[in-house]
Amino acid sequence: QVQLVESGGGLVQAGGSLRLSCAASGLTFSSYGMGWFRQASGKEREFVAAINWGGDSPYYADFLKGRFTISRDNAKNTVYLQMNSLKPEDTAVYYCAAEFGGLGSPMYQEYNYWGQGTQVTVSS
């Protein structure tokens, strides 16, 4: 059975950094595009970043303005999200997801598997 397990969330002050990890099992990880999405309380889920199966084509939401970096290690079946210069508005539950097409997509409907999420809270 497929499992995606996020880790690395927590409480950080504005301007700080966090690195999220998502460990995958039960699927051929190197064949899947991977994405990060987030959902703040009372808001809809929104796209953050995605990366293709080979890891050479990342894609980011416009609002990030270069603050976050997505990467993957296919040998470890893990995708990462390095988050720098965090702002209070980045507070949300962050989810990783796997997309069978392999390209990485900003559309949550195209993802086949989801993790349980990890809370990120940025204090001002």
Side-chain angles (χ1 to χ4, degrees):
Q1 112 215 27
V2 175
Q3 282 194 311
L4 302 177
V5 180
E6 301 96 335
S7 61
L11 174 64
V12 64
Q13 288 190 330
S17 298
L18 284 174
R19 188 194 196 200
L20 305 184
S21 300
C22 172
S25 61
L27 75 170
T28 306
F29 181 75
S30 59
S31 297
Y32 282 75
M34 298 299 295
W36 286 97
F37 293 76
R38 70 186 187 184
Q39 188 165 18
S41 180
K43 296 188 177 181
E44 293 188 351
R45 179 169 29 186
E46 65 177 349
F47 169 73
V48 176
I51 193 164
N52 67 326
W53 64 272
D56 57 352
S57 183
Y59 181 70
Y60 298 96
D62 290 341
F63 64 80
L64 289 179
K65 299 187 187 300
R67 296 186 296 120
F68 293 5
T69 302
I70 188 171
S71 62
R72 66 188 295 160
D73 185 337
N74 286 346
K76 296 182 177 180
N77 287 2
T78 302
V79 62
Y80 305 96
L81 185 68
Q82 177 66 44
M83 306 187 295
N84 298 328
S85 303
L86 283 161
K87 304 176 181 181
E89 51 264 44
D90 294 319
T91 295
V93 177
Y94 283 71
Y95 299 91
C96 75
E99 175 251 327
F100 182 70
L103 298 180
S105 169
M107 307 297 292
Y108 75 87
Q109 299 94 329
E110 296 190 13
Y111 285 81
N112 305 95
Y113 303 106
W114 291 83
Q116 82 290 348
T118 186
Q119 176 71 47
V120 171
T121 303
V122 184
S123 63
S124 58

